[in-house]
Structures are given as structure tokens and as C-alpha cells.
Amino acid sequence: MARVAVVGPGAIGSVSAAAVQRAGHELVLCGRRDPGKIRVEELWSSESVTLGSRVLTSAGQVDSPADWVLVAVKAHQTDGAAPYLRALCGPDTAVVVLQNGVEHRERVRPHLDGQPVLPAIVWMEAETVAPGHTLVRRASRLKVPAGELGQRFAGLVTGIDVSLEADFATELWRKLTSNAVAGLMALAGRRTAIFAMPDIRELADALALECLTVARAEGARLDDTAAAEIVDGLAGLPPGSGSSILFDRLADRPLEWEARNGVVRRKGREHGLPTPISDVIVPLLAAASNED
């Protein structure tokens, strides 16, 4: 049995924690607040899991290092989670980064002491609908780089499909493109139904193509046909689906705009590539983000 800490038991963190608990491991939850019991309700399977661990709200409450630390805070909250990382990480700890974006390792390494880092691509239709209550609309998937560390992690969870990717960069940018397009939902304040609107669909397709141009410059093997596939994936989500950046916008919380959209513009400039759509929507997302 491994000791597994989940830092950030929100929607993604609570679903991941439920998978760890199902596998029979010792679970440690760390976050900014303790909602009491956390329940993960799977609409797709009609099953529900209540986590057996309460949330530690201070790094000072951590009594020993963990074998695994799963970082599930939003990308822009990583620095704030640093005290937990320092308290939870020992010489034999492995760190899994369950975040959006393409810079998983770069975000956490300043807060570590050489521990191995496993980036993970998260495909979860999960939404926190009330404190301590997360709804999951369909089966969850994670993608990690192929290798020994990824294999070990795949054996750590039950109820989440974990695939080992030989071409991880391509899959990383595929998800990043989906996340960047989902930023349109945050700007519109609407769920995935907006992609049935012809003008929004045209804009989404163009933004996806822009992301793919940058992705190829970064080494991803994605041709332009992937743009329609990615937007079709968003449009085909179950009714009522959204994205974490939309849910944060509706709740007037800070938005994860830099990791999901700003990086496209930033990487595009590094490669000398025009990103006219991102040049417009990134400042709008930044302005919509409640940073107070």
C-alpha cells in the first residue's frame, strides 16, 4: 500500500483521489479549505464514492512524506501549493502533475528537490457543483509519458483509464488545443452548446488551426485535420458539459488563461508565428479573470 497525497481536491483532484482510494492506498488530501466529506458522483456509472480522508488545510499538518504526490491545483495556483510540496516530498517521492497546459515540469520543479515528475494529460468531464460534491459525466482518462514511472502510476489508480504515450508531446498539444478553444466558452459564459452556432464554430475551427500551427513548431505531429476533430469533440460532449475555465468564470474566480491560451501566443512569438485570434482572446480572458 502506498501513501498518496492529492494537493488540490477540487473536481480533478477529488476524482483522482477516489481512484486512489478504490485501489486501496492510504490517501492524504491537502487544500485551502476543508469542506468536510467529499463525494464523487459518477453520472455515467450511477456510482458514488465518499472519500475517507479529511482535507489538511496547512502544510504544518503534514506528518510525513508521501510516496506519491498528485498535484491537482490549477496551473496558476502552483506557487501557492509550494509549502505542501515541500512538506510532502521526500527523497523517494514521485510527483504527478494533473494540470492543463504544456509546461507541467517547468511549473513544479522550482518547488522540488530533484524528485521525478510525471506530467499527465487529464480528460475528465468533472464539475464541482457544491463544496465537497463533484459530478462526473463520463469515464475519466489520463495520458502519461511511456516509461517505468508511467507504468507505476497506472497501477496506482482504479477506475481511471491511464494510457502510456510514446509521443506524449503530440497528445499534450492535442489537449492544449482543446483547452484553448474551450476558452471561448468562458468569454461567452455559455456551455458546449455554443459550438452548434455557425459563427462560433467558424471561430473555434480557426483558433484550433492557429494552435496546431504552434503545436507543430513545438514538435507535435498534428496536421490541420485535427482541428475539426478537436472542435467536434467539444461539440459532442454530453448536454450540460462545460470546462473548468467556464466554471471559474461563472463563479468569478481567477482563470487559468495563461496555461491554456496565453501559452499559444507566447510560444507563437518564440517561433515567429502569427497568432491573430489568440492576440485578441488572451487579453480578454486576462481581463475577465478575477485576480483579487
Side-chain angles (χ1 to χ4, degrees):
M1 181 175 70
R3 176 175 166 86
V4 183
V6 176
V7 180
I12 302 305
S14 61
V15 174
S16 302
V20 169
Q21 180 171 293
R22 278 173 166 153
H25 299 293
E26 178 188 357
L27 182 64
V28 179
L29 301 176
C30 302
R32 290 177 295 177
R33 59 185 65 88
D34 179 10
K37 292 291 184 181
I38 296 179
R39 181 165 65 97
V40 177
E41 184 180 356
E42 296 178 345
L43 299 180
W44 61 277
S45 69
S46 299
E47 293 185 6
S48 180
V49 176
T50 298
L51 302 183
S53 175
R54 297 185 68 87
V55 179
L56 306 182
T57 57
S58 167
Q61 295 175 284
V62 176
D63 57 9
S64 62
D67 299 306
W68 293 84
V69 175
L70 312 187
V71 181
V73 297
K74 301 287 177 64
H76 57 274
Q77 298 169 333
T78 303
D79 290 348
Y84 284 117
L85 295 180
R86 289 192 290 268
L88 289 164
C89 289
D92 299 319
T93 303
V95 178
V96 183
V97 184
L98 301 163
Q99 290 181 335
N100 290 313
V102 295
E103 298 167 312
H104 299 62
R105 291 187 175 98
E106 293 89 336
R107 279 194 294 270
V108 300
R109 275 180 172 158
H111 309 302
L112 303 178
D113 189 24
Q115 285 83 5
V117 177
L118 184 73
I121 301 167
V122 179
W123 292 97
M124 292 183 184
E125 294 304 316
E127 177 184 358
T128 298
V129 294
H133 184 193
T134 294
L135 294 181
V136 190
R137 290 186 168 83
R138 62 179 180 180
S140 299
R141 297 177 292 133
L142 295 173
K143 296 187 175 186
V144 299
E148 185 269 340
L149 189 61
Q151 290 177 336
R152 287 171 51 204
F153 173 67
L156 192 73
V157 295
T158 297
I160 295 179
D161 177 63
V162 180
S163 61
L164 307 179
E165 300 294 331
D167 187 0
F168 187 71
T170 292
E171 295 308 310
L172 196 62
W173 276 93
R174 189 189 308 276
K175 177 62 188 298
L176 188 281
T177 300
S178 179
N179 280 338
V181 173
L184 298 176
M185 287 190 280
L187 290 177
R190 299 278 301 279
R191 295 184 182 239
T192 51
I194 66 167
F195 295 113
M197 302 168 63
D199 53 350
I200 297 297
R201 177 59 194 245
E202 182 179 359
L203 178 60
D205 285 340
L207 176 55
L209 286 170
E210 181 174 289
C211 294
L212 293 177
T213 300
V214 178
R216 287 191 289 270
E218 285 285 301
R221 294 189 286 185
L222 293 164
D223 61 33
D224 284 351
T225 61
E229 295 170 1
I230 289 167
V231 181
D232 284 345
L234 289 167
L237 289 173
S241 295
S243 173
S244 60
I245 196 169
L246 167 65
F247 303 146
D248 285 341
R249 175 73 194 280
L250 295 177
D252 199 28
R253 292 189 291 259
L255 305 182
E256 202 177 27
W257 61 270
E258 166 57 27
R260 299 169 61 121
N261 292 86
V263 66
V264 176
R265 185 172 66 159
R266 176 160 46 84
K267 294 290 186 181
R269 289 177 175 177
E270 290 177 9
H271 292 286
L273 297 171
T275 54
I277 300 174
S278 295
D279 289 346
V280 174
I281 67 172
V282 168
L284 291 174
L285 286 168
S289 181
N290 183 355
E291 306 293 344
D292 296 335

